[in-house]
Amino acid sequence: MIPLPNTGIKFYGSAGPTLLFSKGGVNNNDSELGLTLSAGMKIPMKNMKRYMIEARFGFGGLPDTKISFALLFSI
């Protein structure tokens, strides 16, 4: 993770092979192998909570783009 000075915002990225399993019905199973690249950032809030925004890009037989938003809690 790379922190942004004086804000608490942290940027991150990752890359790696991905194996996707899907089941479309009876006897209709499928699997795909590809590469996933991810980039995102964590934004701090009060009380040890934070937001997360992430974009994933798939190559090969994987879905092209996925954008996620989450609210994370510390335990």
Side-chain angles (χ1 to χ4, degrees):
M1 279 195 216
I2 302 171
L4 194 59
N6 301 321
T7 64
I9 296 174
K10 296 180 181 176
F11 292 95
Y12 64 91
S14 64
T18 304
L19 181 59
L20 177 67
F21 293 105
S22 62
K23 185 173 182 177
V26 178
N27 297 326
N28 190 9
N29 297 331
D30 194 19
S31 62
E32 298 288 339
L33 181 63
L35 176 69
T36 299
L37 301 176
S38 300
M41 59 192 234
K42 292 182 180 178
I43 305 165
M45 297 172 46
K46 293 182 181 179
N47 301 328
M48 301 291 291
K49 298 176 190 172
R50 60 192 179 274
Y51 293 111
M52 182 204 65
I53 300 171
E54 181 177 278
R56 291 185 181 192
F57 306 97
F59 301 95
L62 302 175
D64 293 332
T65 305
K66 178 181 176 184
I67 298 176
S68 303
F69 175 80
L71 178 59
L72 305 171
F73 299 90
S74 293
I75 297 178

